[in-house]
Amino acid sequence: MSKNTFTKGVKRQKLWDLPDNEVTPETVFKERRSIVKALGLGALGASIPGYVQAGLFDLFGEETPKNVFQSSELAFQRNSNFQLSQALTPEDKVTRHNNFYEFGTSKQDPFENAQSFQTEPWSLTIEGLVDKPIKLDYDALYKRFALEERTYRLRCVEAWSMVIPWVGFSLASLLKEAGVKSSATHVAFETLFDPDQMPGQKSRLMGGGIHYPYVEGLTIAEAMNPLSFMAVGLYGKTLPPQNGAPIRLVVPWKYGFKSIKSIVKIRVMDKQPPTSWNQLAPHEYGFYANVNPQVDHPRWSQASERSIGEGGLFSAKRIPTEMFNGYGDYVADLYKNLDLRKFY
Ligand SMILES: Nc1nc2c(c(=O)[nH]1)N[C@H]1C(S)=C(S)[C@@H](COP(=O)(O)O)O[C@H]1N2
Ligand SMILES: [Mo]
């Protein structure tokens, strides 16, 4: 376990529980939200960096609760179990160096081409082998589940990485609410298909050859693992379009392409679903795509990675890549009977 992963001394089974002293009752959040609204502080809140928004509580003469953050759109608790000793990637790097082929294949294309992307109204459905299908509209994405902040490492298969503070909720909480049937083995995810808004879906060249809509998948055990996260925000604010607004998956122990953006459908299944990068180049991108420094990509080494934002202006610091991106203590059991060279 490296020093760059979880806070030391956290008990494994407790990792995903918010420590008791960080829990603020739901009603307190709601009251504060309406006060912020009534005072017209919404716009003010939105213009303040996420990390000082807790200071808004001072206006109400209350002691600022630790680890509670509030803006006009997001109210969340910081889960200190997921704070890393590694520095956060600067926000302008997180939002300007992206992979989102629906908006073009170069790293600055999503920032440049996604700004007018409409996310409201939105509809996310959870269907398939569930007891109770769920449909979440735009507002429900931010309100149906208690939001928390988790800082995760993101390792792209292209051998670069970032450290990003996400806001969201666990995928398991969503699946549990829908009630997964015992016959379920996999979960499939699908990105919005809207060529009028997503120019990469119109042109095979601009879209990098991917057959749209972009699809991804997890085994049911991976999906229920407490690390699998549905993100609706980053750096204390709602997701920018280029990062997968309004809701995207984040699976921190797998290569970034598993973390599918702008999701409209989640389908619980009894077989392995097709996945976009695997369909495009099966010998290069597997279904599992676990970060693994010992299994190289056919065209480059996966032993190390460029840490975006660390190092000079034109270079990035190279750091060793960790097995399961440093999350092995929490996920290695899922693969104990799997040959990770064969099932890459
Ligand atoms: N729909 C969709 N989701 C996607 C992608 C994409 O092109 N389309 N790119 C993936 C890849 S390769 C990576 S590395 C991450 C990048 O997320 P970020 O831009 O928020 O850092 O998004 C993933 N999710
Ligand atoms: Mo990636």
Side-chain angles (χ1 to χ4, degrees):
M1 184 87 179
S2 103
K3 62 182 182 314
N4 279 338
T5 51
F6 304 113
T7 313
K8 285 235 167 19
V10 174
K11 282 209 197 77
R12 173 188 170 129
Q13 66 272 22
K14 278 278 178 196
L15 179 71
W16 33 86
D17 295 335
L18 282 163
D20 282 346
N21 62 359
E22 289 176 24
V23 173
T24 302
E26 178 83 352
T27 49
V28 177
F29 272 123
K30 284 193 179 133
E31 272 168 36
R32 286 183 178 136
R33 278 168 87 98
S34 51
I35 295 170
V36 167
K37 268 204 181 121
L39 290 177
L41 290 173
L44 172 65
S47 67
I48 294 175
Y51 294 134
V52 300
Q53 281 166 0
L56 281 175
F57 293 154
D58 296 343
L59 293 169
F60 314 133
E62 296 173 33
E63 208 187 310
T64 304
K66 266 206 198 97
N67 296 311
V68 177
F69 299 84
Q70 167 103 46
S71 73
S72 57
E73 289 163 279
L74 294 178
F76 61 91
Q77 296 164 67
R78 175 169 298 160
N79 190 335
S80 59
N81 292 331
F82 296 97
Q83 280 176 296
L84 305 177
S85 57
Q86 202 182 345
L88 297 181
T89 303
E91 188 177 352
D92 66 326
K93 294 283 191 302
V94 175
T95 60
R96 280 169 173 76
H97 177 284
N98 301 100
N99 274 334
F100 199 169
Y101 277 22
E102 285 85 339
F103 294 100
T105 55
S106 79
K107 295 290 177 280
Q108 67 278 10
D109 282 346
F111 172 76
E112 283 169 11
N113 298 332
Q115 292 313 314
S116 59
F117 181 53
Q118 294 299 310
T119 55
E120 209 181 335
W122 195 263
S123 166
L124 167 60
T125 56
I126 295 85
E127 53 187 61
L129 300 172
V130 294
D131 299 326
K132 189 169 60 94
I134 296 179
K135 188 172 178 165
L136 297 176
D137 65 11
Y138 182 82
D139 283 336
L141 300 178
Y142 307 100
K143 290 182 183 146
R144 182 96 164 238
F145 300 92
L147 301 181
E148 63 178 277
E149 181 186 67
R150 298 179 176 189
T151 296
Y152 277 160
R153 295 166 34 71
L154 175 81
R155 170 56 158 85
C156 176
V157 75
E158 298 162 334
W160 53 264
S161 64
M162 296 193 189
V163 178
I164 304 175
W166 302 105
V167 176
F169 50 87
S170 69
L171 173 60
S173 58
L174 179 57
L175 292 173
K176 277 178 195 154
E177 197 164 306
V180 172
K181 290 194 190 294
S182 57
S183 54
T185 61
H186 290 80
V187 182
F189 303 82
E190 194 174 305
T191 295
L192 178 70
F193 183 70
D194 186 352
D196 288 339
Q197 287 209 79
M198 296 173 145
Q201 292 180 336
K202 265 192 178 144
S203 138
R204 231 177 139 66
L205 186 66
M206 188 175 172
I210 286 176
H211 180 74
Y212 293 102
Y214 193 105
V215 288
E216 258 305 334
L218 296 171
T219 67
I220 196 76
E222 292 172 336
M224 296 305 276
N225 185 283
L227 290 181
S228 294
F229 200 59
M230 299 299 293
V232 296
L234 61 80
Y235 264 103
K237 289 166 266 186
T238 52
L239 284 180
Q242 62 271 25
N243 293 92
I247 187 161
R248 57 96 55 91
L249 180 67
V250 185
V251 196
W253 72 96
K254 292 179 177 285
Y255 290 122
F257 66 83
K258 300 295 290 183
S259 294
I260 179 174
K261 295 176 170 179
S262 305
I263 301 170
V264 293
K265 201 200 298 186
I266 297 178
R267 189 171 187 84
V268 180
M269 302 174 56
D270 58 6
K271 57 176 184 294
Q272 184 177 302
T275 58
S276 287
W277 280 98
N278 179 249
Q279 280 180 315
L280 187 69
H283 56 293
E284 299 191 356
Y285 310 103
F287 174 81
Y288 287 92
N290 292 312
V291 174
N292 189 339
Q294 285 137 40
V295 177
D296 287 339
H297 185 278
R299 292 182 281 132
W300 58 82
S301 164
Q302 294 292 27
S304 67
E305 63 203 48
R306 290 184 310 121
S307 177
I308 303 294
E310 279 194 284
L313 197 54
F314 301 105
S315 62
K317 192 172 148 193
R318 215 164 241 291
I319 59 174
T321 290
E322 295 180 56
M323 188 66 205
F324 299 116
N325 204 22
Y327 297 94
D329 284 4
Y330 310 95
V331 299
D333 275 1
L334 294 171
Y335 311 104
K336 55 179 189 285
N337 298 319
L338 205 66
D339 176 352
L340 295 175
R341 273 182 191 282
K342 200 163 160 214
F343 297 95
Y344 52 92

